[in-house]
Amino acid sequence: MSSSSGPDETHKPRGWTGTLALTVCSAAIGGTFQYGYNISIINAPTTYIQRFINDTYTQRWGVSLDGPQVTLAWTLIVSAFSLGGLLGALLAGPLSVRFGRKHSLLLNNSFLLVGAALVLACRPAASFEMILVARLLVGVNAGVSMNVQPMYFGESAPKHLRGAVAFSSAVFTAFGIFLGQVVGLTGVLGSEPLWPYLLASNALPGLIQLFALPWFPESPRYLLIDRGDRDACVRALGRLRGGEAPALEIEEMLQEQELQKSAALKSGFTASAKTPWSLFKDPALRSQLGTVMAASSAMMLCGNDSIYFYASYIFLAAGIPPEKIQYITIGTGASELTASILSNLLIERVGRKYLLVGGYGLMSVWSVVFTVALILQSSGVAVMAYVSMGCVFGYILSFGLGPAGVTGILPAEIFDQTARPAAYMVAGSCMWISLFLVGMLFPFIVNSLGSYCFLPFLAVCLGSAVLFGLTLPETKGKTLAEITAEFDRMNGVRTTQLEEPVRQHYQLGKACSFTQLTQEPDPHQKDGGRKSEGNV
């Protein structure tokens, strides 16, 4: 190939490859899929587990628990998942830096497998405390995967597919919710004799990941920027792109690496992974950090999980027989899955900002309609029950269309390699704390506000739509340097530029051969380098 054709080939974008697609599936099946699956399967055996708690306590102490005490024990079991998720979010950063993105996901399955073993042993051991510990461990697994997997995807995807690949996390979360609802049916594993196997069924996706993911590459950015292994980066990138590693992608990584080194030298510190506290102290990251904290909190405070709770009541009021409600509820999971797939197809065309703002805007509209329908329904207008049903599906569809997936992409796109793990720790902590608060407070909100119980969620959705519409720059198709420059303008920080000696050392801005990319540049062999450049 002549030298004149080299740049054209370098600039030609490459689409999905078999390796990239299989990497996504192998990581997600034991990653964000588990989050959706585990929040879904706990609903079906609620009555059976509460009965098991009471029977176990009676067998142990000779007296039974009254209703509020059983409810308290059940609430602790449910809340343990959120607390475990918070612990997992805090672990995700150090794990991803120490072991890498891929190996963190693999190690994360240890929490899941121990939890599954505890659930299977709880009935023979007559110990409901084992269920609580199991849900805590499953929450840790979900907290780690919800942070590490989007990071892994965002760093492994080409720029023009970064949103679609990262949004796959939301698709697998929705798929996990849907499949959990199916497996939780009474005719599958949702019966009283089988509920321990239902809760332990999450071990199967984990085992699939343990066998499949080791065959696929680590994040190229982690290999180059964190570990400094350029050879491994080129090999991983070549596998993910289905051929030779694109020169411009490695050039962009090298530029990011040198920008980090330059910034570290000016500040007097080494270019090591940042801590959450260092993010809060850095004025250059103020807007980015505020954006991901607001987005992560809003995703849980918007009421999507609460509307799943409310769905059974709405369906019952619409005249659906109680024994059929479990089948109708599957439609809510199917709605979120459908919306997430549609959004995955649209994100590289429409952009992140429009999907996020549009999703929260639609949810605001559905909140108003839902509130009016509940008020009229309580006044005896029977047809409003069907309007409420429509609002349930509309609300879930709107959530899946934007907030469900875009939120997890943002830290991967607006933070550099050293700040990204800490940013995911902060974002994950906000998400899990918000989920815990909603789970604890929503029953009291319903009792206090009645038909007006979705007004607080309306405020969150409307405020989020306005906030992100005014402050969030579009990140579609942009490099980290371009995104950072926009935030720098918002933060009032002068943008850092690479000095010319650095650019010449790495030949940035030029098409270069893959031999050059895998070797340190030699200033005494410039002519030879030019000759090899013509053979790209």
Side-chain angles (χ1 to χ4, degrees), residues 18 22 53 98 140 142 147 154 175 179 219 228 235 262 300 310 442:
L22 290 173
I53 292 171
R98 174 67 178 83
V140 173
N147 282 9
F175 179 51
L179 190 60
S219 157
R235 288 194 300 271
S262 176
M300 291 303 171
Y310 222 79
F442 185 65

Side-chain angles (χ1 to χ4, degrees), residues 382-407:
V383 72
M384 286 296 105
Y386 298 98
V387 176
S388 298
M389 281 184 63
C391 290
V392 168
F393 287 100
Y395 203 88
I396 292 171
L397 282 166
S398 302
F399 177 78
L401 194 62
V406 175
T407 304

Side-chain angles (χ1 to χ4, degrees), residues 22-337:
L22 290 173
T23 300
V24 167
C25 293
S26 300
I29 195 65
T32 53
F33 171 87
Q34 292 283 18
Y35 168 74
Y37 189 75
N38 284 297
I39 63 172
S40 181
I41 59 174
I42 196 65
N43 295 321
T46 298
T47 304
Y48 307 137
I49 295 177
Q50 289 178 345
R51 187 178 301 145
F52 173 73
I53 292 171
N54 200 16
D55 291 345
T56 301
Y57 190 88
T58 303
Q59 178 184 349
R60 189 182 301 170
W61 302 106
V63 293
S64 62
L65 296 169
D66 54 26
Q69 290 174 320
V70 174
T71 302
L72 176 61
W74 171 246
T75 303
L76 290 174
I77 289 174
V78 173
S79 301
F81 181 75
S82 300
L83 293 176
L86 177 59
L87 292 175
L90 296 174
L91 279 174
L95 279 176
S96 63
V97 173
R98 174 67 178 83
F99 298 104
R101 290 25 168 173
K102 184 180 80 170
H103 289 98
S104 294
L105 290 173
L106 292 171
L107 289 171
N108 190 35
N109 286 292
S110 60
F111 300 110
L112 192 76
L113 296 177
V114 173
L118 288 172
V119 168
L120 291 175
C122 71
R123 184 177 278 172
S127 172
F128 63 84
E129 294 89 351
M130 285 185 172
I131 305 176
L132 189 148
V133 176
R135 291 298 293 179
L136 181 72
L137 293 174
V138 168
V140 173
N141 172 272
V144 172
S145 64
M146 289 288 283
N147 282 9
V148 176
Q149 183 185 305
M151 202 187 316
Y152 183 33
F153 286 178
E155 293 174 2
S156 300
K159 182 175 65 176
H160 66 288
L161 289 177
R162 192 174 56 209
V165 171
F167 207 102
S168 301
S169 298
V171 174
F172 275 89
T173 298
F175 179 51
I177 292 173
F178 172 73
L179 190 60
Q181 291 171 335
V182 173
V183 176
L185 291 173
T186 306
V188 187
L189 292 178
S191 60
E192 187 164 12
L194 298 177
W195 67 260
Y197 300 98
L198 172 63
L199 296 186
S201 62
N202 54 22
L204 182 59
L207 291 173
I208 293 174
Q209 184 183 76
L210 284 173
F211 284 109
L213 189 58
W215 297 96
F216 298 102
E218 176 59 272
S219 157
R221 283 185 179 272
Y222 172 78
L223 292 172
L224 179 63
I225 300 177
D226 288 272
R227 285 178 45 185
D229 192 339
R230 199 180 306 183
D231 291 343
C233 171
V234 171
R235 288 194 300 271
L237 200 58
R239 289 185 63 195
L240 289 168
R241 302 297 176 264
E244 292 182 319
L248 288 182
E249 280 199 58
I250 300 182
E251 177 183 315
E252 181 193 339
M253 295 181 203
L254 290 170
Q255 184 176 9
E256 180 182 344
Q257 185 181 43
E258 291 306 314
L259 283 170
Q260 290 176 11
K261 290 180 180 179
S262 176
L265 287 173
K266 289 180 180 179
S267 63
F269 298 99
T270 59
S272 57
K274 295 183 178 179
T275 63
W277 180 242
S278 67
L279 297 186
F280 284 103
K281 294 193 298 181
D282 191 343
L285 298 175
R286 187 178 298 120
S287 294
Q288 293 94 314
L289 193 61
T291 297
V292 298
M293 290 178 67
S296 299
S297 300
M299 186 175 75
M300 291 303 171
L301 295 176
C302 69
N304 185 69
D305 291 325
S306 300
I307 209 161
Y308 277 103
F309 167 83
Y310 222 79
S312 297
Y313 162 75
I314 296 298
F315 297 152
L316 191 64
I320 297 172
E323 66 273 11
K324 300 294 183 183
I325 287 179
Q326 60 176 337
Y327 299 101
I328 303 299
T329 303
I330 293 176
T332 59
S335 297
E336 186 169 339
L337 177 59

Side-chain angles (χ1 to χ4, degrees), residues 159 162 259 283-289 291 352-354 410 413-415 468-497:
K159 182 175 65 176
R162 192 174 56 209
L259 283 170
L285 298 175
R286 187 178 298 120
S287 294
Q288 293 94 314
L289 193 61
T291 297
R352 288 72 157 142
K353 181 176 181 176
Y354 289 111
L410 292 178
E413 292 198 323
I414 67 179
F415 287 94
F468 299 130
L470 294 176
T471 64
L472 181 66
E474 180 54 67
T475 60
K476 181 188 71 171
K478 294 180 180 177
T479 64
L480 178 64
E482 293 170 332
I483 297 168
T484 301
E486 292 197 41
F487 275 108
D488 283 345
R489 286 193 291 271
M490 296 169 58
N491 292 325
V493 177
R494 184 178 177 182
T495 304
T496 303
Q497 298 288 342

